[in-house]
Amino acid sequence: MKTKAFIIIGIIIAVVISAFFIIRSIIGPGPDDGGSHTTIVKDNKSKPLNLSIYLDLSDRIKPDDNNLNALSQREKDIAIVEYLANYMKDRAVKQKILPCKDKIKVFFYPTPNDSKIALLSEQLELDLSATPPAEKKKILTTFVDDFHEAMEQIYDSTIKTSKWLGSDIWGFFNKPVDNYCIKDGYRNVLVILTDGYIYHAQNKIQDGDAYSYVLPQTLKNLNSSLIPHRKGLEDLEVLMLELNPNPTTDQDKMEQVINDWLQNMEVQKYYVGETDLPSNTKMIIDKFLN
């Protein structure tokens, strides 16, 4: 009887341990596993990649005349986009190019009124699912350089004219994100390059301590939050980079507000990080995508 009891106990323990690891593989790493801003509920890595890059062309890219030796935001943004383009190219090569259906797109929201920038932004898109097989290899040999050139022209034109297009990140997540960034059958990843100050004149809402914007004055309110205007974004992963609050002591509060906002909209995997050297940012990107 004792032997039979031990066998039964052993079976129960084995089942419990197996269940634990199955659940863990589904929900992904917890806060203590180096994934403090990440929750994964399903494996998307086997799907083709739909990579969207949202650029904030506000005065965050204005050159700092008091620190000309520092790496500019223009240089950081261009390096990040170029790295993401190379990442997609490498993925295609690993898949032997022809079967690859990945997509990459760089965009702005709202759409810029500047015709030159609007035209250049059309060059910042590649859809291998719609590219004829005979043309894929040829396009992949030049598209990274094409992206780099278009990015340089967009940033140089914006800086030269001082027409800061700005962005409406809060408004974008309310509806347009579905059409811009979420495709059925794809792993949908949205990369946002912004300083973390979320504001647009057409979307100014306040409900107690909750706002539709993030500004220095809202960050001073320890109870402040971003209004989540919707849910249902479980098919989207968000990587927000280059947060750069002034003063820098607002970084933790800014991250908290944005993290809570993304979580409340049911984004299942996200990371929010401060501005850094491109070499360090690339490691964050690799960890997030891989």
Side-chain angles (χ1 to χ4, degrees):
M1 291 295 292
K2 289 184 177 179
T3 302
K4 187 176 181 180
F6 283 131
I7 292 174
I8 294 173
I9 292 172
I11 292 173
I12 293 172
I13 293 173
V15 170
V16 171
I17 292 174
S18 298
F20 169 79
F21 282 106
I22 290 172
I23 293 171
R24 182 181 177 85
S25 68
I26 294 174
I27 66 173
D32 297 327
D33 300 318
S36 58
H37 305 304
T38 302
T39 304
I40 307 172
V41 296
K42 54 187 175 181
D43 183 14
N44 280 328
K45 293 181 181 178
S46 61
K47 296 180 180 180
L49 179 64
N50 177 36
L51 182 59
S52 305
I53 307 169
Y54 182 164
L55 300 180
D56 175 2
L57 287 187
S58 62
D59 59 1
R60 63 181 279 273
I61 68 171
K62 184 179 180 181
D64 184 358
D65 295 332
N66 297 320
N67 195 6
L68 296 177
N69 293 324
L71 197 64
S72 69
Q73 193 60 59
R74 168 192 178 278
E75 293 170 307
K76 290 181 179 181
D77 286 7
I78 292 173
I80 291 171
V81 171
E82 186 173 4
Y83 184 74
L84 289 167
N86 271 305
Y87 177 88
M88 182 175 170
K89 179 180 177 180
D90 291 343
R91 271 180 54 94
V93 171
K94 289 177 182 178
Q95 297 176 47
K96 307 301 182 185
I97 298 179
L98 291 182
C100 185
K101 297 181 179 180
D102 290 351
K103 306 169 185 276
I104 184 172
K105 180 179 182 179
V106 181
F107 65 93
F108 316 93
Y109 183 83
T111 303
N113 292 323
D114 188 316
S115 58
K116 179 180 179 181
I117 292 178
L119 184 62
L120 285 167
S121 66
E122 292 180 3
Q123 301 176 28
L124 295 169
E125 181 175 5
L126 177 62
D127 182 356
L128 290 177
S129 71
T131 303
E135 297 180 18
K136 284 187 176 182
K137 188 173 182 179
K138 179 181 178 182
I139 289 175
L140 283 170
T141 59
T142 62
F143 101 96
V144 175
D145 290 337
D146 293 341
F147 267 44
H148 182 92
E149 182 179 349
M151 286 284 294
E152 284 193 328
Q153 291 187 51
I154 288 172
Y155 275 66
D156 289 346
S157 176
T158 304
I159 291 170
K160 182 178 180 180
T161 60
S162 296
K163 292 181 179 179
W164 313 117
L165 303 179
S167 63
D168 184 10
I169 295 173
W170 186 85
F172 178 75
F173 271 89
N174 288 341
K175 181 73 176 183
V177 68
D178 299 84
N179 296 325
Y180 275 66
C181 306
I182 300 177
K183 306 295 180 184
D184 290 339
Y186 277 80
R187 179 188 179 191
N188 299 295
V189 177
L190 169 60
V191 179
I192 304 175
L193 303 186
T194 179
D195 56 9
Y197 289 117
I198 296 174
Y199 175 83
H200 195 271
Q202 294 181 357
N203 277 320
K204 293 174 62 178
I205 302 172
Q206 181 178 355
D207 182 9
D209 292 324
Y211 307 83
S212 63
Y213 48 90
V214 176
L215 292 173
Q217 53 266 39
T218 68
L219 294 176
K220 299 306 178 189
N221 178 357
L222 297 180
N223 298 316
S224 68
S225 63
L226 264 174
I227 299 171
H229 229 32
R230 52 100 42 96
K231 293 186 180 294
L233 289 178
E234 59 274 359
D235 289 330
L236 182 68
E237 302 174 29
V238 178
L239 178 59
M240 188 178 290
L241 300 171
E242 294 303 296
L243 268 64
N244 191 21
N246 184 19
T248 56
T249 51
D250 284 344
Q251 179 73 31
D252 288 345
K253 177 60 179 176
M254 179 180 278
E255 286 188 17
Q256 176 207 326
V257 167
I258 296 174
N259 282 330
D260 291 346
W261 178 56
L262 293 171
Q263 187 176 43
N264 287 331
M265 291 188 294
E266 299 180 343
V267 176
Q268 297 297 304
K269 182 176 181 180
Y270 53 91
Y271 181 90
V272 178
E274 63 187 333
T275 186
D276 205 340
L277 294 174
S279 57
N280 295 331
T281 303
K282 289 172 184 177
M283 290 191 290
I284 293 172
I285 294 171
D286 279 340
K287 185 175 180 180
F288 189 87
L289 293 177
N290 297 318

